[in-house]
Amino acid sequence: MALTDHNDVFIGSTGDGHTFVVLNRPIRNAARYLTAAGFTAREHQGRTLYLLPPEAAQDAHERAGIAVYGLMAHTLDLVDLAWTTRQHGAGAATEWPEVAIRFADGTVTATTTTDSAHAILLQHGFAPAGAEGQYELPPGSGERDALGAVVRAEAHLYTDGLSVRIDLGLATVQDIPPVRPRPGAAPTPPSAAPAKRSSH
């Protein structure tokens, strides 16, 4: 399962500034909410992505907010880790975030330029790692648990006025994982060869 597959709705940003929405279950009127807010539907590796281009970064916060308002009438299982949807995301968090959180190769790390983030990161399960200002979630944290810890830490940091940028490890839209296989969709192993009929 990919990071983007744990919630009904996942909102994220690619490294090149696209804002994307992944729907992991059918949601009534979702396409209408998203396209009315300015997102464009695009087929990608078995799933439909809803995209805002980098040029829309300045109003991504407003556009995503409009879409989320509609989607939340049908589900509260929604995660938004897109740095482009933060009000200060298109400015400070893009260029000089006070806290940068990165998902890469099964690990989650955080780097901060301010002492104000130290206690918050510790509170949400990060531990000091290496040089000053570097933190990491403990190895072996499940992907869903790590995602939850990042969501809570990001919200806490944001509430305290600290700019945060979350790097999902997706440089471009092409790096967004394909749709997860449905249960029972895996190929079944070949059965034993049928017994030969005897000839008369």
Side-chain angles (χ1 to χ4, degrees):
M1 186 175 284
L3 187 67
T4 54
D5 293 336
H6 293 279
N7 303 89
D8 289 350
V9 180
F10 186 95
I11 305 172
S13 299
T14 57
D16 63 2
H18 282 84
T19 305
F20 67 88
V21 177
V22 169
L23 303 176
N24 290 310
R25 73 168 178 86
I27 297 174
R28 186 178 174 191
N29 296 324
R32 182 166 61 83
Y33 296 136
L34 288 157
T35 55
F39 286 82
T40 301
R42 175 172 160 187
E43 294 304 313
H44 173 72
Q45 299 191 68
R47 69 161 93 234
T48 302
L49 300 176
Y50 294 88
L51 301 173
L52 282 179
E55 301 81 52
Q58 290 188 346
D59 61 356
H61 173 78
E62 182 178 343
R63 290 174 183 265
I66 291 167
V68 165
Y69 183 78
L71 294 170
M72 287 180 72
H74 303 284
T75 182
L76 297 178
D77 186 19
L78 182 148
V79 165
D80 179 356
L81 292 181
W83 54 266
T84 50
T85 64
R86 303 306 180 255
Q87 219 154 18
H88 57 257
T94 305
E95 305 279 333
W96 306 106
E98 291 162 293
V99 181
I101 298 175
R102 177 171 168 74
F103 290 84
D105 303 321
T107 63
V108 183
T109 58
T111 306
T112 180
T113 58
T114 175
D115 292 338
S116 307
H118 175 79
I120 296 173
L121 290 168
L122 294 181
Q123 182 179 336
H124 295 286
F126 285 84
E132 185 178 349
Q134 294 184 353
Y135 301 82
E136 186 175 42
L137 284 177
S141 298
E143 190 174 68
R144 190 175 184 87
D145 290 338
L147 180 60
V150 170
V151 168
R152 291 187 296 273
E154 194 267 354
H156 193 162
L157 290 161
Y158 186 81
T159 300
D160 275 27
L162 298 171
S163 59
V164 183
R165 177 167 172 168
I166 297 180
D167 180 349
L168 299 171
L170 305 172
T172 71
V173 171
Q174 294 305 315
D175 298 312
I176 297 171
V179 68
R180 66 182 177 199
R182 293 180 181 172
T188 54
S191 57
K196 291 183 181 177
R197 291 184 182 179
S198 57
S199 55
H200 295 289

PDB file of all heavy atoms in Angstrom, residues 13-19 54 56-58 60 82-100 162-167:
ATOM      1  N   SER A  13       1.284  17.416  -2.565  1.00  0.00           N
ATOM      2  CA  SER A  13       1.996  18.240  -3.544  1.00  0.00           C
ATOM      3  C   SER A  13       3.187  17.464  -4.064  1.00  0.00           C
ATOM      4  O   SER A  13       3.843  16.735  -3.312  1.00  0.00           O
ATOM      5  CB  SER A  13       2.522  19.527  -2.908  1.00  0.00           C
ATOM      6  OG  SER A  13       1.488  20.308  -2.395  1.00  0.00           O
ATOM      7  N   THR A  14       3.473  17.644  -5.336  1.00  0.00           N
ATOM      8  CA  THR A  14       4.698  17.091  -5.898  1.00  0.00           C
ATOM      9  C   THR A  14       5.821  18.108  -5.720  1.00  0.00           C
ATOM     10  O   THR A  14       5.569  19.284  -5.445  1.00  0.00           O
ATOM     11  CB  THR A  14       4.511  16.782  -7.396  1.00  0.00           C
ATOM     12  OG1 THR A  14       4.112  17.976  -8.068  1.00  0.00           O
ATOM     13  CG2 THR A  14       3.460  15.700  -7.606  1.00  0.00           C
ATOM     14  N   GLY A  15       7.046  17.657  -5.880  1.00  0.00           N
ATOM     15  CA  GLY A  15       8.185  18.548  -5.719  1.00  0.00           C
ATOM     16  C   GLY A  15       8.174  19.708  -6.694  1.00  0.00           C
ATOM     17  O   GLY A  15       8.698  20.783  -6.389  1.00  0.00           O
ATOM     18  N   ASP A  16       7.570  19.500  -7.877  1.00  0.00           N
ATOM     19  CA  ASP A  16       7.549  20.577  -8.861  1.00  0.00           C
ATOM     20  C   ASP A  16       6.335  21.502  -8.711  1.00  0.00           C
ATOM     21  O   ASP A  16       6.095  22.354  -9.564  1.00  0.00           O
ATOM     22  CB  ASP A  16       7.639  20.020 -10.287  1.00  0.00           C
ATOM     23  CG  ASP A  16       6.449  19.131 -10.658  1.00  0.00           C
ATOM     24  OD1 ASP A  16       5.517  18.968  -9.839  1.00  0.00           O
ATOM     25  OD2 ASP A  16       6.462  18.588 -11.784  1.00  0.00           O
ATOM     26  N   GLY A  17       5.565  21.333  -7.619  1.00  0.00           N
ATOM     27  CA  GLY A  17       4.520  22.303  -7.296  1.00  0.00           C
ATOM     28  C   GLY A  17       3.109  21.976  -7.722  1.00  0.00           C
ATOM     29  O   GLY A  17       2.211  22.789  -7.537  1.00  0.00           O
ATOM     30  N   HIS A  18       2.859  20.780  -8.274  1.00  0.00           N
ATOM     31  CA  HIS A  18       1.481  20.389  -8.555  1.00  0.00           C
ATOM     32  C   HIS A  18       0.770  20.054  -7.249  1.00  0.00           C
ATOM     33  O   HIS A  18       1.351  19.450  -6.348  1.00  0.00           O
ATOM     34  CB  HIS A  18       1.433  19.152  -9.451  1.00  0.00           C
ATOM     35  CG  HIS A  18       1.689  19.431 -10.888  1.00  0.00           C
ATOM     36  ND1 HIS A  18       2.970  19.526 -11.403  1.00  0.00           N
ATOM     37  CD2 HIS A  18       0.848  19.644 -11.924  1.00  0.00           C
ATOM     38  CE1 HIS A  18       2.891  19.768 -12.698  1.00  0.00           C
ATOM     39  NE2 HIS A  18       1.614  19.860 -13.042  1.00  0.00           N
ATOM     40  N   THR A  19      -0.478  20.447  -7.142  1.00  0.00           N
ATOM     41  CA  THR A  19      -1.338  20.007  -6.047  1.00  0.00           C
ATOM     42  C   THR A  19      -2.185  18.877  -6.615  1.00  0.00           C
ATOM     43  O   THR A  19      -2.730  19.009  -7.719  1.00  0.00           O
ATOM     44  CB  THR A  19      -2.264  21.142  -5.576  1.00  0.00           C
ATOM     45  OG1 THR A  19      -1.461  22.275  -5.247  1.00  0.00           O
ATOM     46  CG2 THR A  19      -3.072  20.717  -4.358  1.00  0.00           C
ATOM     47  N   PRO A  54       1.359  24.036 -11.091  1.00  0.00           N
ATOM     48  CA  PRO A  54       2.168  24.913 -10.226  1.00  0.00           C
ATOM     49  C   PRO A  54       1.800  26.389 -10.339  1.00  0.00           C
ATOM     50  O   PRO A  54       1.893  27.118  -9.361  1.00  0.00           O
ATOM     51  CB  PRO A  54       3.595  24.667 -10.711  1.00  0.00           C
ATOM     52  CG  PRO A  54       3.570  23.312 -11.326  1.00  0.00           C
ATOM     53  CD  PRO A  54       2.197  23.159 -11.918  1.00  0.00           C
ATOM     54  N   ALA A  56      -0.916  27.663 -10.310  1.00  0.00           N
ATOM     55  CA  ALA A  56      -2.073  27.980  -9.462  1.00  0.00           C
ATOM     56  C   ALA A  56      -1.712  27.957  -7.977  1.00  0.00           C
ATOM     57  O   ALA A  56      -2.589  28.028  -7.130  1.00  0.00           O
ATOM     58  CB  ALA A  56      -3.202  26.994  -9.738  1.00  0.00           C
ATOM     59  N   ALA A  57      -0.414  27.887  -7.656  1.00  0.00           N
ATOM     60  CA  ALA A  57      -0.008  27.726  -6.257  1.00  0.00           C
ATOM     61  C   ALA A  57      -0.530  28.833  -5.357  1.00  0.00           C
ATOM     62  O   ALA A  57      -0.883  28.596  -4.211  1.00  0.00           O
ATOM     63  CB  ALA A  57       1.518  27.645  -6.153  1.00  0.00           C
ATOM     64  N   GLN A  58      -0.604  30.051  -5.866  1.00  0.00           N
ATOM     65  CA  GLN A  58      -1.022  31.163  -5.012  1.00  0.00           C
ATOM     66  C   GLN A  58      -2.469  31.047  -4.565  1.00  0.00           C
ATOM     67  O   GLN A  58      -2.827  31.529  -3.496  1.00  0.00           O
ATOM     68  CB  GLN A  58      -0.790  32.492  -5.719  1.00  0.00           C
ATOM     69  CG  GLN A  58       0.697  32.798  -5.833  1.00  0.00           C
ATOM     70  CD  GLN A  58       0.956  34.197  -6.348  1.00  0.00           C
ATOM     71  OE1 GLN A  58       0.058  34.851  -6.864  1.00  0.00           O
ATOM     72  NE2 GLN A  58       2.185  34.659  -6.197  1.00  0.00           N
ATOM     73  N   ALA A  60      -4.080  27.923  -4.583  1.00  0.00           N
ATOM     74  CA  ALA A  60      -4.349  26.514  -4.290  1.00  0.00           C
ATOM     75  C   ALA A  60      -5.055  26.366  -2.947  1.00  0.00           C
ATOM     76  O   ALA A  60      -5.920  25.498  -2.777  1.00  0.00           O
ATOM     77  CB  ALA A  60      -3.052  25.709  -4.303  1.00  0.00           C
ATOM     78  N   ALA A  82      -0.429  18.780   1.509  1.00  0.00           N
ATOM     79  CA  ALA A  82       0.096  19.567   0.397  1.00  0.00           C
ATOM     80  C   ALA A  82       0.641  20.896   0.887  1.00  0.00           C
ATOM     81  O   ALA A  82      -0.088  21.692   1.458  1.00  0.00           O
ATOM     82  CB  ALA A  82      -1.011  19.804  -0.635  1.00  0.00           C
ATOM     83  N   TRP A  83       1.918  21.137   0.676  1.00  0.00           N
ATOM     84  CA  TRP A  83       2.494  22.430   1.082  1.00  0.00           C
ATOM     85  C   TRP A  83       1.916  23.566   0.241  1.00  0.00           C
ATOM     86  O   TRP A  83       1.872  24.703   0.682  1.00  0.00           O
ATOM     87  CB  TRP A  83       4.025  22.404   1.007  1.00  0.00           C
ATOM     88  CG  TRP A  83       4.620  21.992  -0.305  1.00  0.00           C
ATOM     89  CD1 TRP A  83       5.009  20.736  -0.671  1.00  0.00           C
ATOM     90  CD2 TRP A  83       4.920  22.833  -1.431  1.00  0.00           C
ATOM     91  NE1 TRP A  83       5.515  20.737  -1.943  1.00  0.00           N
ATOM     92  CE2 TRP A  83       5.477  22.011  -2.431  1.00  0.00           C
ATOM     93  CE3 TRP A  83       4.774  24.195  -1.679  1.00  0.00           C
ATOM     94  CZ2 TRP A  83       5.887  22.507  -3.673  1.00  0.00           C
ATOM     95  CZ3 TRP A  83       5.181  24.696  -2.910  1.00  0.00           C
ATOM     96  CH2 TRP A  83       5.733  23.853  -3.882  1.00  0.00           C
ATOM     97  N   THR A  84       1.422  23.250  -0.946  1.00  0.00           N
ATOM     98  CA  THR A  84       0.863  24.284  -1.813  1.00  0.00           C
ATOM     99  C   THR A  84      -0.487  24.800  -1.322  1.00  0.00           C
ATOM    100  O   THR A  84      -0.927  25.865  -1.759  1.00  0.00           O
ATOM    101  CB  THR A  84       0.696  23.744  -3.244  1.00  0.00           C
ATOM    102  OG1 THR A  84       0.010  22.488  -3.184  1.00  0.00           O
ATOM    103  CG2 THR A  84       2.041  23.571  -3.919  1.00  0.00           C
ATOM    104  N   THR A  85      -1.148  24.049  -0.443  1.00  0.00           N
ATOM    105  CA  THR A  85      -2.464  24.495   0.027  1.00  0.00           C
ATOM    106  C   THR A  85      -2.379  25.301   1.318  1.00  0.00           C
ATOM    107  O   THR A  85      -3.402  25.771   1.806  1.00  0.00           O
ATOM    108  CB  THR A  85      -3.422  23.306   0.254  1.00  0.00           C
ATOM    109  OG1 THR A  85      -2.903  22.480   1.305  1.00  0.00           O
ATOM    110  CG2 THR A  85      -3.604  22.495  -1.006  1.00  0.00           C
ATOM    111  N   ARG A  86      -1.186  25.461   1.845  1.00  0.00           N
ATOM    112  CA  ARG A  86      -1.036  26.280   3.045  1.00  0.00           C
ATOM    113  C   ARG A  86      -1.052  27.742   2.642  1.00  0.00           C
ATOM    114  O   ARG A  86      -0.470  28.105   1.623  1.00  0.00           O
ATOM    115  CB  ARG A  86       0.261  25.951   3.792  1.00  0.00           C
ATOM    116  CG  ARG A  86       0.395  24.499   4.205  1.00  0.00           C
ATOM    117  CD  ARG A  86      -0.810  24.038   5.002  1.00  0.00           C
ATOM    118  NE  ARG A  86      -0.711  22.663   5.412  1.00  0.00           N
ATOM    119  CZ  ARG A  86      -1.396  21.656   4.865  1.00  0.00           C
ATOM    120  NH1 ARG A  86      -2.212  21.885   3.854  1.00  0.00           N
ATOM    121  NH2 ARG A  86      -1.273  20.433   5.317  1.00  0.00           N
ATOM    122  N   GLN A  87      -1.683  28.569   3.454  1.00  0.00           N
ATOM    123  CA  GLN A  87      -1.814  29.973   3.086  1.00  0.00           C
ATOM    124  C   GLN A  87      -0.448  30.617   2.871  1.00  0.00           C
ATOM    125  O   GLN A  87      -0.260  31.417   1.980  1.00  0.00           O
ATOM    126  CB  GLN A  87      -2.601  30.743   4.142  1.00  0.00           C
ATOM    127  CG  GLN A  87      -3.519  31.756   3.531  1.00  0.00           C
ATOM    128  CD  GLN A  87      -4.706  32.059   4.408  1.00  0.00           C
ATOM    129  OE1 GLN A  87      -4.702  31.773   5.600  1.00  0.00           O
ATOM    130  NE2 GLN A  87      -5.728  32.652   3.831  1.00  0.00           N
ATOM    131  N   HIS A  88       0.519  30.224   3.710  1.00  0.00           N
ATOM    132  CA  HIS A  88       1.873  30.738   3.497  1.00  0.00           C
ATOM    133  C   HIS A  88       2.706  29.738   2.707  1.00  0.00           C
ATOM    134  O   HIS A  88       3.880  29.921   2.535  1.00  0.00           O
ATOM    135  CB  HIS A  88       2.555  31.046   4.838  1.00  0.00           C
ATOM    136  CG  HIS A  88       2.622  29.886   5.772  1.00  0.00           C
ATOM    137  ND1 HIS A  88       1.782  29.747   6.846  1.00  0.00           N
ATOM    138  CD2 HIS A  88       3.412  28.790   5.798  1.00  0.00           C
ATOM    139  CE1 HIS A  88       2.063  28.631   7.507  1.00  0.00           C
ATOM    140  NE2 HIS A  88       3.038  28.036   6.882  1.00  0.00           N
ATOM    141  N   GLY A  89       2.033  28.659   2.209  1.00  0.00           N
ATOM    142  CA  GLY A  89       2.755  27.600   1.518  1.00  0.00           C
ATOM    143  C   GLY A  89       3.408  28.026   0.228  1.00  0.00           C
ATOM    144  O   GLY A  89       4.475  27.545  -0.118  1.00  0.00           O
ATOM    145  N   ALA A  90       2.764  28.913  -0.504  1.00  0.00           N
ATOM    146  CA  ALA A  90       3.337  29.307  -1.792  1.00  0.00           C
ATOM    147  C   ALA A  90       4.489  30.281  -1.613  1.00  0.00           C
ATOM    148  O   ALA A  90       5.206  30.570  -2.548  1.00  0.00           O
ATOM    149  CB  ALA A  90       2.256  29.935  -2.664  1.00  0.00           C
ATOM    150  N   GLY A  91       4.676  30.774  -0.396  1.00  0.00           N
ATOM    151  CA  GLY A  91       5.776  31.706  -0.149  1.00  0.00           C
ATOM    152  C   GLY A  91       6.797  31.093   0.768  1.00  0.00           C
ATOM    153  O   GLY A  91       7.646  30.332   0.371  1.00  0.00           O
ATOM    154  N   ALA A  92       6.632  31.383   2.067  1.00  0.00           N
ATOM    155  CA  ALA A  92       7.656  30.986   3.042  1.00  0.00           C
ATOM    156  C   ALA A  92       7.898  29.494   3.090  1.00  0.00           C
ATOM    157  O   ALA A  92       9.036  29.049   3.131  1.00  0.00           O
ATOM    158  CB  ALA A  92       7.245  31.494   4.429  1.00  0.00           C
ATOM    159  N   ALA A  93       6.826  28.693   3.100  1.00  0.00           N
ATOM    160  CA  ALA A  93       7.023  27.251   3.252  1.00  0.00           C
ATOM    161  C   ALA A  93       7.675  26.643   2.022  1.00  0.00           C
ATOM    162  O   ALA A  93       8.281  25.592   2.089  1.00  0.00           O
ATOM    163  CB  ALA A  93       5.694  26.562   3.544  1.00  0.00           C
ATOM    164  N   THR A  94       7.530  27.281   0.874  1.00  0.00           N
ATOM    165  CA  THR A  94       8.157  26.775  -0.337  1.00  0.00           C
ATOM    166  C   THR A  94       9.656  27.057  -0.305  1.00  0.00           C
ATOM    167  O   THR A  94      10.465  26.186  -0.570  1.00  0.00           O
ATOM    168  CB  THR A  94       7.552  27.468  -1.577  1.00  0.00           C
ATOM    169  OG1 THR A  94       6.149  27.282  -1.539  1.00  0.00           O
ATOM    170  CG2 THR A  94       8.104  26.903  -2.847  1.00  0.00           C
ATOM    171  N   GLU A  95      10.015  28.285   0.027  1.00  0.00           N
ATOM    172  CA  GLU A  95      11.403  28.703  -0.045  1.00  0.00           C
ATOM    173  C   GLU A  95      12.181  28.398   1.239  1.00  0.00           C
ATOM    174  O   GLU A  95      13.218  27.792   1.200  1.00  0.00           O
ATOM    175  CB  GLU A  95      11.456  30.218  -0.306  1.00  0.00           C
ATOM    176  CG  GLU A  95      10.679  30.651  -1.544  1.00  0.00           C
ATOM    177  CD  GLU A  95      11.441  30.440  -2.828  1.00  0.00           C
ATOM    178  OE1 GLU A  95      12.671  30.465  -2.765  1.00  0.00           O
ATOM    179  OE2 GLU A  95      10.811  30.263  -3.866  1.00  0.00           O
ATOM    180  N   TRP A  96      11.634  28.834   2.370  1.00  0.00           N
ATOM    181  CA  TRP A  96      12.371  28.725   3.623  1.00  0.00           C
ATOM    182  C   TRP A  96      11.486  28.178   4.736  1.00  0.00           C
ATOM    183  O   TRP A  96      11.169  28.892   5.668  1.00  0.00           O
ATOM    184  CB  TRP A  96      12.915  30.102   4.041  1.00  0.00           C
ATOM    185  CG  TRP A  96      13.732  30.773   2.979  1.00  0.00           C
ATOM    186  CD1 TRP A  96      13.367  31.820   2.203  1.00  0.00           C
ATOM    187  CD2 TRP A  96      15.058  30.430   2.592  1.00  0.00           C
ATOM    188  NE1 TRP A  96      14.369  32.155   1.338  1.00  0.00           N
ATOM    189  CE2 TRP A  96      15.429  31.317   1.557  1.00  0.00           C
ATOM    190  CE3 TRP A  96      15.968  29.463   3.007  1.00  0.00           C
ATOM    191  CZ2 TRP A  96      16.671  31.263   0.927  1.00  0.00           C
ATOM    192  CZ3 TRP A  96      17.203  29.418   2.381  1.00  0.00           C
ATOM    193  CH2 TRP A  96      17.551  30.309   1.366  1.00  0.00           C
ATOM    194  N   PRO A  97      11.066  26.943   4.665  1.00  0.00           N
ATOM    195  CA  PRO A  97      10.221  26.422   5.750  1.00  0.00           C
ATOM    196  C   PRO A  97      11.022  26.331   7.045  1.00  0.00           C
ATOM    197  O   PRO A  97      12.211  26.028   7.034  1.00  0.00           O
ATOM    198  CB  PRO A  97       9.820  25.034   5.249  1.00  0.00           C
ATOM    199  CG  PRO A  97      10.926  24.632   4.338  1.00  0.00           C
ATOM    200  CD  PRO A  97      11.398  25.904   3.681  1.00  0.00           C
ATOM    201  N   GLU A  98      10.345  26.599   8.151  1.00  0.00           N
ATOM    202  CA  GLU A  98      11.013  26.441   9.445  1.00  0.00           C
ATOM    203  C   GLU A  98      11.141  24.968   9.820  1.00  0.00           C
ATOM    204  O   GLU A  98      12.027  24.591  10.573  1.00  0.00           O
ATOM    205  CB  GLU A  98      10.240  27.216  10.509  1.00  0.00           C
ATOM    206  CG  GLU A  98      10.350  28.720  10.303  1.00  0.00           C
ATOM    207  CD  GLU A  98       9.282  29.490  11.039  1.00  0.00           C
ATOM    208  OE1 GLU A  98       8.091  29.375  10.679  1.00  0.00           O
ATOM    209  OE2 GLU A  98       9.642  30.229  11.986  1.00  0.00           O
ATOM    210  N   VAL A  99      10.247  24.150   9.268  1.00  0.00           N
ATOM    211  CA  VAL A  99      10.324  22.701   9.472  1.00  0.00           C
ATOM    212  C   VAL A  99      10.081  22.022   8.129  1.00  0.00           C
ATOM    213  O   VAL A  99       9.117  22.339   7.430  1.00  0.00           O
ATOM    214  CB  VAL A  99       9.268  22.204  10.486  1.00  0.00           C
ATOM    215  CG1 VAL A  99       9.406  20.698  10.698  1.00  0.00           C
ATOM    216  CG2 VAL A  99       9.391  22.943  11.809  1.00  0.00           C
ATOM    217  N   ALA A 100      10.973  21.115   7.752  1.00  0.00           N
ATOM    218  CA  ALA A 100      10.806  20.314   6.539  1.00  0.00           C
ATOM    219  C   ALA A 100      10.694  18.855   6.955  1.00  0.00           C
ATOM    220  O   ALA A 100      11.565  18.340   7.672  1.00  0.00           O
ATOM    221  CB  ALA A 100      11.992  20.505   5.607  1.00  0.00           C
ATOM    222  N   LEU A 162       4.420  28.055  12.810  1.00  0.00           N
ATOM    223  CA  LEU A 162       5.656  27.639  12.145  1.00  0.00           C
ATOM    224  C   LEU A 162       5.350  27.155  10.734  1.00  0.00           C
ATOM    225  O   LEU A 162       4.403  26.402  10.525  1.00  0.00           O
ATOM    226  CB  LEU A 162       6.333  26.518  12.939  1.00  0.00           C
ATOM    227  CG  LEU A 162       6.769  26.905  14.354  1.00  0.00           C
ATOM    228  CD1 LEU A 162       7.228  25.684  15.124  1.00  0.00           C
ATOM    229  CD2 LEU A 162       7.880  27.944  14.301  1.00  0.00           C
ATOM    230  N   SER A 163       6.120  27.589   9.772  1.00  0.00           N
ATOM    231  CA  SER A 163       5.914  27.146   8.395  1.00  0.00           C
ATOM    232  C   SER A 163       6.482  25.741   8.227  1.00  0.00           C
ATOM    233  O   SER A 163       7.540  25.409   8.756  1.00  0.00           O
ATOM    234  CB  SER A 163       6.568  28.111   7.409  1.00  0.00           C
ATOM    235  OG  SER A 163       7.951  28.213   7.656  1.00  0.00           O
ATOM    236  N   VAL A 164       5.735  24.912   7.505  1.00  0.00           N
ATOM    237  CA  VAL A 164       6.099  23.503   7.329  1.00  0.00           C
ATOM    238  C   VAL A 164       5.975  23.151   5.856  1.00  0.00           C
ATOM    239  O   VAL A 164       5.017  23.546   5.194  1.00  0.00           O
ATOM    240  CB  VAL A 164       5.154  22.581   8.131  1.00  0.00           C
ATOM    241  CG1 VAL A 164       5.592  21.121   8.004  1.00  0.00           C
ATOM    242  CG2 VAL A 164       5.086  22.995   9.591  1.00  0.00           C
ATOM    243  N   ARG A 165       6.931  22.414   5.365  1.00  0.00           N
ATOM    244  CA  ARG A 165       6.815  21.845   4.025  1.00  0.00           C
ATOM    245  C   ARG A 165       7.001  20.348   4.140  1.00  0.00           C
ATOM    246  O   ARG A 165       7.981  19.889   4.718  1.00  0.00           O
ATOM    247  CB  ARG A 165       7.838  22.436   3.075  1.00  0.00           C
ATOM    248  CG  ARG A 165       7.738  21.759   1.696  1.00  0.00           C
ATOM    249  CD  ARG A 165       8.488  22.495   0.627  1.00  0.00           C
ATOM    250  NE  ARG A 165       8.513  21.714  -0.597  1.00  0.00           N
ATOM    251  CZ  ARG A 165       8.903  22.188  -1.770  1.00  0.00           C
ATOM    252  NH1 ARG A 165       9.281  23.439  -1.872  1.00  0.00           N
ATOM    253  NH2 ARG A 165       8.912  21.426  -2.833  1.00  0.00           N
ATOM    254  N   ILE A 166       6.054  19.604   3.599  1.00  0.00           N
ATOM    255  CA  ILE A 166       6.134  18.148   3.627  1.00  0.00           C
ATOM    256  C   ILE A 166       6.492  17.649   2.238  1.00  0.00           C
ATOM    257  O   ILE A 166       5.803  17.949   1.268  1.00  0.00           O
ATOM    258  CB  ILE A 166       4.818  17.538   4.128  1.00  0.00           C
ATOM    259  CG1 ILE A 166       4.590  18.000   5.570  1.00  0.00           C
ATOM    260  CG2 ILE A 166       4.868  16.013   4.028  1.00  0.00           C
ATOM    261  CD1 ILE A 166       3.364  17.501   6.227  1.00  0.00           C
ATOM    262  N   ASP A 167       7.588  16.924   2.170  1.00  0.00           N
ATOM    263  CA  ASP A 167       8.063  16.334   0.923  1.00  0.00           C
ATOM    264  C   ASP A 167       7.623  14.878   0.923  1.00  0.00           C
ATOM    265  O   ASP A 167       8.107  14.076   1.721  1.00  0.00           O
ATOM    266  CB  ASP A 167       9.586  16.460   0.856  1.00  0.00           C
ATOM    267  CG  ASP A 167      10.177  15.872  -0.409  1.00  0.00           C
ATOM    268  OD1 ASP A 167       9.461  15.180  -1.160  1.00  0.00           O
ATOM    269  OD2 ASP A 167      11.384  16.092  -0.635  1.00  0.00           O
TER     270      ASP A 167
END
